[in-house]
Amino acid sequence: MKDSNMTDFNGGGLMSLIDRLPDGTIKMNALSDAIQQADAANDPYWRLMFRFEYAWQAAFDDDPPKAIPVGAEFNSILAQYPDALPPEQKDYLHLVIMQNTVDPIAALPQIPISQWKQLMDEFYTLTERYQIGERLYWWRMAQFWQYIDKEESFTYFRKFWNSKRDKVSDCEACDVSHAVHMSLLMGDRKAADRFAKPLESGRLVLCSDTPQLMWLAYLEDALRRGDLEEAHPLANKLYRKGIRDKSDLGYLATILHCWAYTDLELAIHQIGARLDWALSMWDQKKKYDFYKASWACFHELAKKQDTISLPLSAKFPLYQEDSVYNSTELAQWFHTEAEKIAARFDARNGSDYFQQNLAQALILQ
């Protein structure tokens, strides 16, 4: 029931205003205010809708782990008001916000696997209740396990690939990109190239993250193999597609890792321009990737010059008022920070994936 003294609340009108705002931080701030207004008005429908929109923005245009707390609030409100959403909306919204709540846990080493498993059990229960989302569920499993046991991850990938598509599935282009990624992770280049053909030929409708996801998969594979001749044009192509907001920090980090050896000056410029994104990120995987790539960049720079002038913000722990930094000290700072994150991930996951990944980051010794 709405409070009688809050009859002036107009969720639809407020949503129309918010829709006109640019995606990302500005829209998220407006949605945060809208959540407070809907809560004050005790309007269950808009309490849910504004939280869904906030989680969506966090997942696709900002910092994905920010979706976790609002996702938990969404589930609590829906349990209290099970009829607040129309039936034709409820299954889709509930499963998608559950996805946006579960996905970022892979990027937060402070959350134990036991908690992730509990949420995944709840996720699977929802797929049984609504009879949709099984494909979505299996890809979440494959994503998480790639950092623990790639054979286990590939088992879940096969279940994902063999599950039927439905209204909550990722777009076909993203699904194909997932298949390319998993094939390359397993060392099967022929399968990756076969999966990539529909995307490369233009037979699939592209979304905001394709073909970037496919290019990223090939770029990561080329860097793992130390093939800079293949990696460089992929990095440039991925960069030209655009680094739109902080949710793209993972793309940028892999580009920088390549540019450390192929376009160091541009890489250093981008580190200076985007470091604040990394410093403020909740997403520890994106932060780790950026720090790892920055280490490689400054490691290479230190071979050529002792110091560098960079306009870094006062938020940076090594901040210098004169903007002059020692190249070796920068390399050491980024390596130390990446090493700390890698250790936390591996301790949580019970594997050595991240520490091995970091140990192999320097392509040219």
Side-chain angles (χ1 to χ4, degrees), residues 230-261:
E230 179 180 353
H232 190 204
L234 283 167
N236 291 349
K237 189 159 55 172
L238 189 55
Y239 180 72
R240 286 195 299 270
K241 192 68 176 177
I243 304 302
R244 301 154 293 188
D245 50 52
K246 66 173 64 174
S247 69
D248 288 338
L249 192 66
Y251 292 141
L252 179 61
T254 312
I255 293 167
L256 295 177
H257 192 189
C258 174
W259 282 354
Y261 307 102

Side-chain angles (χ1 to χ4, degrees), residues 315-334:
K315 298 176 184 177
F316 183 50
L318 299 186
Y319 173 72
Q320 300 292 322
E321 287 189 4
D322 63 2
S323 300
V324 176
Y325 297 88
N326 180 278
S327 302
T328 300
E329 288 179 2
L330 287 173
Q332 185 58 53
W333 187 88
F334 282 109

Side-chain angles (χ1 to χ4, degrees), residues 148-319:
I148 303 173
D149 183 334
K150 69 178 184 180
E151 297 290 344
E152 185 82 0
S153 176
F154 195 70
T155 297
Y156 293 128
F157 164 74
R158 285 198 294 264
K159 292 182 178 182
F160 150 78
W161 194 253
N162 293 325
S163 299
K164 66 178 182 179
R165 293 181 54 78
D166 53 48
K167 67 180 182 179
V168 295
S169 297
D170 290 332
C171 75
E172 285 190 73
C174 283
D175 280 358
V176 166
S177 296
H178 300 335
V180 171
H181 169 77
M182 288 303 304
S183 298
L184 291 172
L185 186 66
M186 300 304 293
D188 192 343
R189 179 63 179 252
K190 288 183 179 179
D193 292 346
R194 186 172 65 250
F195 281 123
K197 280 185 179 180
L199 261 178
E200 292 175 331
S201 66
R203 296 203 303 270
L204 293 178
V205 176
L206 302 182
C207 71
S208 62
D209 274 313
T210 55
Q212 296 97 298
L213 285 171
M214 179 182 70
W215 294 341
L216 177 67
Y218 278 111
L219 176 55
E220 288 176 333
D221 180 65
L223 292 173
R224 278 195 298 267
R225 293 182 288 102
D227 187 344
L228 294 173
E229 185 176 350
E230 179 180 353
H232 190 204
L234 283 167
N236 291 349
K237 189 159 55 172
L238 189 55
Y239 180 72
R240 286 195 299 270
K241 192 68 176 177
I243 304 302
R244 301 154 293 188
D245 50 52
K246 66 173 64 174
S247 69
D248 288 338
L249 192 66
Y251 292 141
L252 179 61
T254 312
I255 293 167
L256 295 177
H257 192 189
C258 174
W259 282 354
Y261 307 102
T262 61
D263 202 335
L264 183 58
E265 183 177 351
L266 184 53
I268 297 297
H269 171 75
Q270 283 295 311
I271 292 170
R274 304 303 184 190
L275 178 58
D276 277 3
W277 280 0
L279 292 172
S280 66
M281 288 292 278
W282 293 17
D283 189 313
Q284 296 297 294
K285 174 60 166 61
K286 287 186 173 71
K287 180 175 287 199
Y288 164 79
D289 287 337
F290 185 87
Y291 287 171
K292 178 185 74 173
S294 298
W295 168 46
C297 289
F298 288 113
H299 180 271
E300 291 304 302
L301 184 68
K303 296 177 182 178
K304 302 176 180 180
Q305 60 191 69
D306 294 333
T307 61
I308 180 75
S309 179
L310 281 174
L312 304 181
S313 79
K315 298 176 184 177
F316 183 50
L318 299 186
Y319 173 72

